[in-house]
Amino acid sequence: MSNNRKVKDVIVKTAADLFTPIALVLGFYIILHGHLSPGGGFQGGVLVASAVILIYLGYGYSEVSKRFNMEFIKKNEALGAILFTVFGLAGILYGSVFFTNVFVGIGNVGDLISSGTIMFMNDSVGYKVLTGVGFLILLMIGLLAPDNEN
Amino acid sequence: MQHYPILSIVTLFLGAFLTVIFGSKNETVRKFIALVASSISLILVLMLIKPVMIENNVIQYWMGNWRPIHDWAIGIGLEVDSLGLFFGIIAVVTIFLSIVFSFRYTEKDSETDKYYVLFLMLSGSVLGLVFTGDLFNMFVMIEIMTFAAVGLTAFRNYQEGALEAALKYLVLGSIGSSLVLAGTITIYSQVHTLNMAQISALLFNNLTPSTLFAFALLLAGYSLKAFVVPFHPAAPDAYMSAPSSISMAFSGMVNKAGVYAIIRLVYVLYHAMSFKSIQLLLIIIGTITMFVGVTMALAQNDFKRLLAFHSISQIGYVITAVGVSTALGLTAGLYHALNHTLFKGLLFLTAGAVFYATGTTDLNKLGGLAKKMPQTAAVFLIGAFSISGLPPFNGFVSKWLVYQATYQANLAPVTIVALLVSVMTLASFIKVAQSIFFGQMPKEFENVKEVPLSMRIPMWIMAILCVLTGIFPNFVTKYLISPAVSAALNVGKYIDIMMGNGYAEKILGKPVEIPAVDYVLAGYWNPVAWLVLFALLLLAVTIVAVAGGFNTASLPVDGDDSKYEVFFGGEANEYSHVKGNDLFWGLKYDLRHYFGFMHDAHSGIINDYALWAIFTTTIFIVYIFLLVP
């Protein structure tokens, strides 16, 4: 079926080329500004991960499987989780309780680096979600791929 | 001390994440991480015994220091009282022993990094569930728990039925989680808070149809997680297909998490045990659970499936005793929950040992293993005696308390059912012992060896704990059970610790009385006397046995006498092991209509089971609407 044909659709390919950077930039923007504006780690992470789908739509499974190393992504997801836990534990290290926001006084309110560790917790969530959801998408499109391409 | 609960949870999750990064290549590293994480967690939780159990403190912990403002809880809080800690201790002991057991047990499996990751997530979520003071956090933890459990059920996916079992667990577990979520949001929409202490205060004498609806949903959802009977059919499949160390964790802590949630729900959140109808509901579902579980177990031919049905049956005892709602009943329920963790964990480990040694758990294929695996057989007998309630093992104490509690509450029929169930438990374990460890050994198991030391150590620890909790019931009751019972009954303190002193009195509108808990109860039996009696009997048997002297040369020895010669003694006996199926055929024949009905009911189709779950939930809702206020 359509899985077997070479992807040559110019419109889809061009759209993928065009929208992938937008998805990445918007996603990272939302992750980084999670403590200042609506959105946050999860929403931004899902946006970044959607870039995988765009590349798949434009270039097919063979290209995607060449570009992404699933083992590496899996380990980075765990890294995101570990970072989140470590920032949570920082609260205990600084004499308060788990998940306490420390280093609050640094920076002016409204700046990117202004709200202490909550920003880094948010970023770790974003990192975990972009790798986790990206991994899930890769897994799913891997199942869609025809056997001869595997 | 204040940080111990959160650290014990975080350690397990951190261990899981570290295993993903560092444990994927090297077997030793992942074992090391799992061992360190579970031991740290074990030590941290055990260190809480002194402040919480003995000095009777309650630990409150607001994440991120978001304390209540104007008497309104705005953050997520942990609250560790004796009840939570009691189940926490059960969980960490199970986790630690199960991890130690699985080191050698999983050596033939590939990709054990995923096993340890999921196991540590499961452990962390159970600890989080019992330590949290936030209703939505409970849902999150139970969701992590369910999905980790589903993954672990399918871990040996080359085994027949493992994927099917995982799918059943996934569907039924998701129905349970959805019910819990629906109940949680219904409560939130009514009282606008998720903190359990505050909900408990606001719901006191303030039950509306909406909150009752939420109560029914939560009760059904958590009952599904505890696998009480109409919700049980995912459990036997899951327990059978999962590795034995995981089956132990399922019956030791995943089940108990559901039981904990039910106790927390009916005693603390809704103060519901003052209603006769709720007591009756719990007693009815508990009695049905224990009866159906044990009769189904009698008909099983697989060791682990049989144990799974016994697990359901023993949970029935716990729910019944909890439903009696006197201090004695709650004591009996919690004691039985503890004992169930110990002996059922032990039995699942012996099942794992048998599987490790022989490659099967089918009762009709095994036999005579006691000669080859003497230690496994010994600990199996301890576990079987404990679960059947023989003195001086721990099952006797808690079952005695259950009988006493139900009888004193004028529920003699329930006592009779409980006794019957106990007898049938003994019967089915005679069957297991006969068909696995005694009788004749099939030819193919002649080279079977005893399992390695690292698998025997957890089994012996469990066995020793089974004996100790049976011989020293007063000690266990004093330091573990009665603080947990008084914590469950003393709702005012639970509220005050979290929301600030005087909050409970202000909301409840009356001084918070601390219920007097009377413990003149376990004195009806004296384990030491029984132990002395058994020792005397053993001595007498030994004396009689050696009275004839040790000279056995005069006895004919098989093979070199004329016994087997043709025309004299007949032929050498052929292999004639009495199989598990052959025992109790009379009982099974007499009750064939009942067994036929149960066989047809357990159709193995997920749609049917989902229908049961929804149907029972509907019955809960109707029952509670009709009878509660």
Side-chain angles (χ1 to χ4, degrees):
Chain A
M1 227 191 63
S2 62
N3 274 337
N4 285 330
R5 78 187 155 85
K6 270 287 200 211
V7 180
K8 277 181 187 165
D9 201 327
V10 178
I11 297 175
V12 177
K13 211 170 186 173
T14 315
D17 286 347
L18 191 65
F19 287 126
T20 307
I22 296 177
L24 290 175
V25 170
L26 182 64
F28 281 115
Y29 175 85
I30 289 178
I31 292 176
L32 286 175
H33 290 73
H35 57 300
L36 298 172
S37 59
F42 186 87
Q43 293 81 347
V46 173
L47 270 173
V48 174
S50 71
V52 179
I53 297 184
L54 287 174
I55 295 171
Y56 171 70
L57 289 176
Y59 293 90
Y61 181 70
S62 57
E63 194 68 20
V64 172
S65 61
K66 246 184 274 170
R67 298 288 167 198
F68 295 101
N69 178 352
M70 286 178 73
E71 197 61 26
F72 180 75
I73 293 179
K74 196 174 87 182
K75 290 194 172 171
N76 275 277
E77 189 198 349
L79 183 70
I82 290 172
L83 285 175
F84 182 72
T85 325
V86 168
F87 288 124
L89 288 171
I92 293 183
L93 291 181
Y94 280 84
S96 185
V97 296
F98 194 65
F99 281 152
T100 307
N101 195 8
V102 289
F103 304 121
V104 184
I106 297 169
N108 302 317
V109 176
D111 285 359
L112 185 60
I113 298 180
S114 62
S115 62
T117 47
I118 192 84
M119 176 196 167
F120 298 106
M121 284 191 219
N122 206 359
D123 296 351
S124 337
V125 172
Y127 194 60
K128 178 165 169 56
V129 171
L130 80 89
T131 46
V133 176
F135 185 82
L136 275 180
I137 292 170
L138 284 174
L139 209 63
M140 280 191 271
I141 62 184
L143 291 175
L144 287 175
D147 288 335
N148 54 6
E149 272 190 83
N150 263 335
Chain B
M1 183 196 91
Q2 179 199 10
H3 297 301
Y4 292 171
I6 188 73
L7 285 178
S8 66
I9 301 167
V10 166
T11 315
L12 290 169
F13 278 113
L14 204 56
F17 304 142
L18 286 172
T19 312
V20 178
I21 294 189
F22 299 109
S24 59
K25 292 271 165 19
N26 194 331
E27 184 81 31
T28 320
V29 174
R30 66 181 87 129
K31 283 179 184 170
F32 178 75
I33 293 173
L35 186 65
V36 168
S38 56
S39 353
I40 291 177
S41 177
L42 175 74
I43 292 165
L44 286 171
V45 172
L46 290 185
M47 275 160 74
L48 284 173
I49 289 182
K50 187 172 173 288
V52 175
M53 287 291 187
I54 296 172
E55 291 165 10
N56 218 0
N57 294 319
V58 176
I59 295 174
Q60 52 121 349
Y61 194 90
W62 292 99
M63 302 262 206
N65 232 352
W66 291 99
R67 289 171 179 282
I69 295 174
H70 304 304
D71 281 349
W72 205 267
I74 50 172
I76 297 175
L78 297 187
E79 179 163 16
V80 185
D81 63 351
S82 319
L83 181 67
L85 185 65
F86 175 75
F87 282 93
I89 292 168
I90 288 181
V92 285
V93 171
T94 312
I95 293 161
F96 182 72
L97 294 178
S98 178
I99 290 242
V100 172
F101 184 84
S102 49
F103 286 161
R104 288 299 295 276
Y105 180 66
T106 57
E107 68 189 1
K108 289 168 194 159
D109 295 302
S110 58
E111 309 204 5
T112 48
D113 54 329
K114 297 186 176 64
Y115 172 89
Y116 289 115
V117 171
L118 285 174
F119 190 89
L120 288 170
M121 303 264 286
L122 179 75
S123 319
S125 64
V126 173
L127 270 192
L129 176 76
V130 296
F131 286 163
T132 191
D134 188 276
L135 196 60
F136 193 77
N137 216 350
M138 268 176 96
F139 164 73
V140 172
M141 291 300 173
I142 218 155
E143 194 73 344
I144 298 174
M145 185 182 96
T146 308
F147 281 99
V150 168
L152 287 167
T153 303
F155 177 65
R156 288 193 167 149
N157 53 11
Y158 53 85
Q159 269 188 352
E160 191 190 346
L163 289 173
E164 189 192 335
L167 183 64
K168 279 181 197 166
Y169 197 167
L170 182 65
V171 172
L172 285 177
S174 304
I175 291 174
S177 302
S178 316
L179 292 175
V180 171
L181 180 63
T184 307
I185 54 179
T186 314
I187 287 189
Y188 183 64
S189 72
Q190 292 299 306
V191 299
H192 310 294
T193 181
L194 286 167
N195 186 277
M196 293 207 288
Q198 199 180 4
I199 292 173
S200 169
L202 293 177
L203 285 182
F204 183 72
N205 279 346
N206 189 21
L207 293 178
T208 61
S210 298
T211 51
L212 281 178
F213 179 62
F215 177 69
L217 291 177
L218 285 171
L219 188 63
Y222 288 130
S223 308
L224 202 152
K225 300 296 176 184
F227 295 123
V228 304
V229 146
F231 302 113
H232 71 288
D237 285 355
Y239 287 33
M240 187 174 77
S241 339
S244 285
S245 43
I246 298 303
S247 313
M248 171 193 176
F250 282 177
S251 86
M253 59 189 198
V254 173
N255 253 344
K256 297 302 176 313
V259 172
Y260 164 79
I262 291 175
I263 296 177
R264 189 59 93 199
L265 180 71
V266 294
Y267 277 91
V268 176
L269 221 53
Y270 273 85
H271 318 266
M273 293 320 280
S274 48
F275 303 124
K276 275 270 179 274
S277 50
I278 297 289
Q279 295 177 13
L280 196 64
L281 180 66
L282 285 185
I283 290 169
I284 289 171
I285 60 173
T287 314
I288 293 175
T289 302
M290 62 184 165
F291 186 76
V292 172
V294 81
T295 47
M296 287 301 290
L298 266 175
Q300 299 304 318
N301 292 319
D302 186 278
F303 191 10
K304 285 176 75 178
R305 206 175 165 81
L306 184 144
L307 289 179
F309 274 110
H310 276 299
S311 204
I312 294 165
S313 163
Q314 304 299 318
I315 289 294
Y317 273 101
V318 179
I319 301 282
T320 310
V322 165
V324 172
S325 88
T326 54
L328 181 62
L330 200 50
T331 309
L334 293 181
Y335 208 134
H336 201 69
L338 172 70
N339 290 347
H340 174 243
T341 300
L342 294 174
F343 55 61
K344 190 48 64 66
L346 175 60
L347 289 168
F348 270 120
L349 291 190
T350 53
V354 168
F355 182 80
Y356 179 86
T358 64
T360 180
T361 49
D362 191 335
L363 294 181
N364 292 330
K365 288 182 186 158
L366 294 160
L369 289 178
K371 279 176 205 153
K372 300 288 179 186
M373 305 166 72
Q375 298 198 22
T376 309
V379 292
F380 168 78
L381 285 181
I382 293 177
F385 291 156
S386 301
I387 193 174
S388 319
L390 296 189
F393 299 100
N394 58 6
F396 180 80
V397 186
S398 49
K399 283 188 178 176
W400 185 269
L401 290 173
V402 173
Y403 306 149
Q404 200 184 334
T406 48
Y407 193 75
Q408 280 184 0
N410 294 325
L411 292 161
V414 176
T415 316
I416 293 168
V417 174
L419 273 165
L420 261 179
V421 170
S422 192
V423 171
M424 285 197 265
T425 310
L426 181 60
S428 69
F429 275 94
I430 288 173
K431 165 177 153 180
V432 175
Q434 156 66 22
S435 42
I436 292 185
F437 292 104
F438 302 117
Q440 241 179 329
M441 189 164 53
K443 282 269 186 307
E444 64 258 38
F445 298 135
E446 275 172 358
N447 297 323
V448 163
K449 289 194 193 68
E450 181 64 277
V451 291
L453 183 68
S454 72
M455 287 168 75
R456 272 180 277 145
I457 289 174
M459 293 201 284
W460 275 112
I461 293 176
M462 291 295 241
I464 290 166
L465 285 175
C466 276
V467 177
L468 286 182
T469 47
I471 295 179
F472 303 111
N474 292 331
F475 187 79
V476 177
T477 315
K478 187 177 169 198
Y479 289 111
L480 285 178
I481 315 286
S482 60
V485 171
S486 46
L489 295 177
N490 192 352
V491 183
K493 185 174 177 188
Y494 184 82
I495 299 170
D496 270 356
I497 293 283
M498 214 54 178
M499 303 302 298
N501 266 335
Y503 181 83
E505 193 177 335
K506 199 165 74 186
I507 299 286
L508 304 185
K510 60 172 182 151
V512 186
E513 82 270 24
I514 296 166
V517 182
D518 186 16
Y519 285 108
V520 201
L521 34 100
Y524 288 82
W525 87 290
N526 186 356
V528 181
W530 284 95
L531 198 64
V532 171
L533 177 68
F534 277 116
L536 282 177
L537 283 175
L538 188 67
L539 195 66
V541 170
T542 318
I543 289 172
V544 171
V546 302
F550 287 101
N551 185 7
T552 54
S554 60
L555 294 172
V557 179
D558 282 1
D560 61 352
D561 65 351
S562 57
K563 187 172 148 197
Y564 294 138
E565 278 173 15
V566 186
F567 305 120
F568 186 76
E571 296 170 9
N573 57 345
E574 290 170 8
Y575 177 69
S576 62
H577 179 55
V578 181
K579 294 192 172 71
N581 249 350
D582 307 333
L583 287 173
F584 309 122
W585 64 269
L587 177 72
K588 277 189 247 172
Y589 182 76
D590 281 345
L591 295 176
R592 61 190 179 281
H593 298 298
Y594 172 76
F595 281 118
F597 169 74
M598 291 312 281
H599 182 268
D600 291 345
H602 290 77
S603 57
I605 303 168
I606 309 173
N607 302 20
D608 289 0
Y609 297 160
L611 195 65
W612 291 12
I614 301 297
F615 183 66
T616 318
T617 312
T618 320
I619 291 180
F620 278 15
I621 294 170
V622 171
Y623 180 93
I624 285 169
F625 268 131
L626 287 181
L627 292 177
V628 165

